[in-house]
Amino acid sequence: ASEEINIVELLRKDHEKVKMLFREFEGAEKAEKQHIVRQAITELEIHALAEEKIFYPAIRKDSPDAASHLDESFEEHHVMKFLISELKDMLPDDRRFDAKFTVLAENVKHHIKEEEADLFARARTGHLDLAELAKELTAAKASIQANSKKKKTKATPERKHAKGPAASKRQPVRKTKKRTAA
């Protein structure tokens, strides 16, 4: 019988995929950068959500002493999601687009290095069913991807780039008179 794929192998493959996108970005022309960033964002969002739903809880249950590492991993995901939210509103022509993606890449590479050194080692040496967790992770990623596609098709207009004259137009604030007690 062939050996089943395990969750550590799946997560490592995801890590390699995004690291490859980070390298592609470094040598890309401006026209290619938007596509690479969108692809990296999609990969990172799906990976992080599935990891938070399947892998981290399994490690927390199997290795209670890993709590501080897991808390740090959640915080690193939080920072990643914040940078992603800003990148989604940017275009390659924006002055800080390259810098923001580079900072995202640096943060993610740091996160990967720590995760692979500590949490993957715990997973391999613990009492987890890594093959079963791989199945759960695969199902979670498929579900997240399906929900993401549903949201994109339901979303009406795409986000507008927040620059130019329209960005500075705001609704006027109505001033009301204060009522005084009689």
Side-chain angles (χ1 to χ4, degrees):
S2 65
E3 191 174 313
E4 291 183 87
I5 191 156
N6 71 57
I7 193 166
V8 173
E9 291 170 12
L10 286 179
L11 294 173
R12 189 180 305 271
K13 284 180 182 178
D14 286 353
H15 291 171
E16 290 307 315
K17 196 181 303 182
V18 294
K19 288 193 294 187
M20 182 196 69
L21 290 168
F22 296 152
R23 286 189 298 273
E24 283 180 23
F25 182 86
E26 290 172 9
E29 298 294 322
K30 190 179 285 192
E32 299 171 285
K33 287 184 175 184
Q34 185 77 18
H35 174 72
I36 293 168
V37 168
R38 295 289 174 235
Q39 198 175 352
I41 286 172
T42 299
E43 293 293 333
L44 289 167
E45 287 178 328
I46 292 169
H47 173 86
L49 287 173
E51 197 170 56
E52 291 170 3
K53 184 177 180 180
I54 305 300
F55 185 61
Y56 291 172
I59 293 291
R60 190 176 298 272
K61 185 176 180 184
D62 191 57
S63 301
D65 61 324
S68 65
H69 292 282
L70 290 164
D71 292 344
E72 185 177 329
S73 290
F74 273 105
E75 289 306 315
E76 289 168 345
H77 280 193
H78 175 73
V79 169
M80 177 198 73
K81 290 172 188 175
F82 179 75
L83 290 168
I84 285 172
S85 73
E86 291 186 338
L87 275 165
K88 284 181 174 181
D89 288 334
M90 297 176 83
L91 295 173
D93 288 336
D94 291 340
R95 193 178 90 220
R96 293 180 20 221
F97 182 83
D98 284 18
K100 192 165 300 287
F101 189 74
T102 300
V103 169
L104 172 66
E106 289 169 355
N107 276 281
V108 170
K109 286 187 273 188
H110 168 81
H111 171 74
I112 287 171
K113 185 177 178 181
E114 287 186 345
E115 187 172 85
E116 289 183 357
D118 183 60
L119 299 180
F120 285 13
R122 288 174 185 272
R124 277 191 238 95
T125 59
H127 301 92
L128 299 171
D129 183 341
L130 301 182
E132 182 58 34
L133 286 171
K135 291 175 188 172
E136 291 177 30
L137 184 81
T138 301
K141 287 174 68 174
S143 174
I144 292 163
Q145 199 165 19
N147 287 337
S148 176
K149 286 180 182 176
K150 284 181 191 174
K151 286 179 186 176
K152 284 181 184 175
T153 55
K154 285 183 182 180
T156 41
E158 286 190 30
R159 287 186 183 183
K160 300 261 191 254
H161 185 60
K163 282 198 169 184
S168 62
K169 291 181 182 176
R170 303 227 191 287
Q171 292 294 324
V173 177
R174 286 189 190 170
K175 293 185 178 182
T176 57
K177 291 182 181 180
K178 289 185 179 179
R179 294 183 186 194
T180 55

